[in-house]
Amino acid sequence: PGTYGSTTGLWTEACSGFCATGSICPQGSTSSLGNGATCEQGYYCTSALQLCDAALPCGGVELYCPKGSGAPIDVDDGYYTLPELVAKETTRSSQAQCLAGYQCASGRKTPCGSAAYWSAAGQSNCTKESAGYFTVGGTSADYRTGQSRCPIGSYCSGGVMHLAPRG
């Protein structure tokens, strides 16, 4: 398996060679492209393992395999892999840029998780708010997307703005 025979009179299992990377070559294939099928998304087919007749799961969430992959691809920093379903952790097929208010590392997307932290889109880590600033944006304190300077008449602590006490 994983080889093809494109001529008559072949005498070994090596045949004419290995099938093309990303292609599926079932037993009896006559072309390096096998039967024309390519690995489905989330899987890869490689001649390096001599398994062109079998599709292998892509791996963990830090890897993804588009349709026709010959090897898993590492996710970029500041990106996460899709689909995000837990049941699909070994068969991710694409990557997407991290959303503002989240951090994305090793293929996982997680919220910044506190008003004291924020992130712009495409970040692999959340940033702690600067002294004298409060966090802004996002749908809640867990998903802040920026920071603003604390205005006159207030003080800022833990990413939250408070009015100056009476006195």
Side-chain angles (χ1 to χ4, degrees), residues 31-53:
S31 161
S32 66
L33 299 178
N35 60 6
T38 56
C39 272
E40 291 300 317
Q41 62 184 17
Y43 296 85
Y44 72 100
C45 303
T46 176
S47 60
L49 296 177
Q50 300 178 14
L51 292 172
C52 295
D53 63 334

Side-chain angles (χ1 to χ4, degrees), residues 77-80 98-99 102-106 108-109 123-125:
D77 281 343
Y79 283 74
Y80 62 101
C98 200
L99 305 171
Y102 290 85
Q103 58 186 349
C104 295
S106 299
R108 293 190 188 277
K109 178 181 78 175
Q123 300 300 304
S124 56
N125 292 299

